[in-house]
Amino acid sequence: MIVCLGEALIDLFASPRGRDVDDAEAFLPCVGGAPVNVAVALGRLGAPARFVGAVGNDGHGRRVLAALESAGVDARCVDRRRERTGVTFVKVARDGARSFLFYRRDTADTALTAEALAGFALDPLEGASWLVLGSTALAAPPLSEVAASLVRRATERGVPVLLDLNCRRHLWRDAEALQRAMRSLCDAAAVVKASEDDLADLGLPATLDALRAIAPGAVPVLTLAERGCVADVGGALTVEPVRLAPEAVIDATGAGDAFVAGLLVGLGADGPRATRSRWERALALGNATGALAVTALGALEALRAPWSDAVREALASVERSGERATR
């Protein structure tokens, strides 16, 4: 069971595509929030997943819950709260680049409490094979306190933690606060995934060496957008991207979350201790799911069967690898 912790939101995309938020004719609602995106993608890929977080007792919250449940994600550790579900207005340019306008003050996504966690019908880490979260889980209490507690419990139980840096500078008082949170999470993580933009937000060069330096005890994975990805798995391992025609790129929202889901499915039961060849296949699956995500508006719209050729081939390669490992 892969446990995903953190924010659940609704992204409101300005329509027609390319319009500014203040010039939009309409807004298209899509389920969002990085850990929700990862959980739904995992469920659609056939992996057992659980989401731990909070939504408002409103229409947006019900939309999030419906997406989780339709993907087969365990939503028993989702708190329904009086605070409203957070929303983000999104402008998507013609080349897929995005800009955001956030409405997340005093919203449900940061309001998950230790008391709510203790009141769930099951332990959120029951049967967990991974705990997945991003830095945004530490941006505001009480969610930050819950996240720190779950990370400690996962470490004590030997559950590996995957940290997606997923830097959002606007959520932090200053750069130093962001850096402190990153250090605390990196110390506990078995795998740390970052984009070049994440490292830039931390004032670091966009290199694997820089990621190694902030997470010396973890497997560092650096995504390079259309250039693929690189990881340190007993030495640097570069995996080529899935090539897309420029006109196929619609919206980059959720590409990193789809990458994380593909990576976790690819690693399977081996987890972070997988062989180098297994890691290579898992990274290739991450590239394939990440590439597929950008071909439709919204983080999750394209991530569903029938899968693209690249995803099917990467899944088949992972399955063959798993079969050989069990012989």
Side-chain angles (χ1 to χ4, degrees):
M1 176 67 69
I2 300 171
V3 178
C4 303
L5 167 71
E7 70 274 16
L9 308 169
I10 293 295
D11 293 330
L12 297 173
F13 288 86
S15 179
R17 187 163 64 100
R19 291 284 184 90
D20 288 322
V21 168
D22 60 358
D23 191 36
E25 296 178 7
F27 291 93
L28 174 67
C30 294
V31 171
V36 169
N37 294 339
V38 174
V40 171
L42 285 166
R44 290 180 181 174
L45 287 164
R50 175 180 299 137
F51 175 68
V52 181
V55 296
N57 189 21
D58 52 27
H60 287 326
R62 289 190 289 276
R63 186 185 292 270
V64 171
L65 290 169
L68 291 167
E69 290 164 3
S70 68
V73 176
D74 183 348
R76 288 177 292 173
C77 293
V78 180
D79 192 21
R80 284 73 159 175
R81 300 195 56 84
R82 61 177 177 78
E83 294 89 352
R84 68 188 184 279
T85 304
V87 299
T88 301
F89 291 90
V90 189
K91 172 193 174 181
V92 179
R94 289 295 177 183
D95 63 356
R98 300 145 305 146
S99 56
F100 303 97
L101 179 61
F102 299 93
Y103 280 76
R104 291 183 56 198
R105 183 169 182 173
D106 299 325
T107 49
D109 54 291
T110 62
L112 182 66
T113 64
E115 291 75 17
L117 206 69
F120 290 140
L122 79 164
D123 179 344
L125 292 177
E126 182 179 312
S129 56
W130 286 94
L131 174 63
V132 181
L133 75 162
S135 64
T136 56
L138 289 189
L143 176 61
S144 58
E145 297 155 359
V146 169
S149 173
L150 274 185
V151 168
R152 283 194 301 271
R153 287 161 56 183
T155 302
E156 291 166 359
R157 298 182 190 186
V159 176
V161 175
L162 186 149
L163 168 64
D164 183 351
L165 293 191
N166 202 21
C167 295
R168 296 289 183 265
R169 286 286 297 272
H170 69 278
L171 294 176
W172 300 87
R173 182 178 64 256
D174 51 43
E176 186 176 339
L178 171 59
Q179 291 164 359
R180 282 198 304 271
M182 290 299 184
R183 284 194 294 271
S184 69
L185 288 174
C186 285
D187 286 346
V191 176
V192 174
K193 175 260 179 190
S195 68
E196 294 171 293
D197 287 344
D198 290 330
L199 291 176
D201 280 346
L202 291 172
L204 298 172
T207 65
L208 193 60
D209 284 342
L211 189 52
R212 285 191 195 99
I214 64 172
V219 176
V221 178
L222 179 61
T223 55
L224 305 169
E226 70 279 1
R227 305 191 316 282
C229 63
V230 60
D232 185 353
V233 193
L237 174 62
T238 301
V239 179
E240 292 297 312
V242 174
R243 304 291 179 185
L244 296 174
E247 61 272 16
V249 178
I250 303 299
D251 172 24
T253 303
D257 307 329
F259 175 91
V260 168
L263 175 67
L264 290 169
V265 170
L267 291 175
D270 295 341
R273 295 181 295 276
T275 64
R276 184 178 174 88
S277 61
R278 180 85 182 194
W279 265 98
E280 184 172 15
R281 292 178 174 86
L283 292 165
L285 180 55
N287 281 348
T289 50
L292 182 60
V294 308
T295 61
L297 196 67
L300 297 168
E301 185 57 35
L303 291 175
R304 59 180 79 245
W307 298 106
S308 67
D309 290 344
V311 171
R312 286 203 309 272
E313 290 166 7
L315 281 169
S317 178
V318 164
E319 289 168 0
R320 289 193 298 269
S321 175
E323 289 169 2
R324 285 196 295 271
T326 57
R327 288 176 185 168

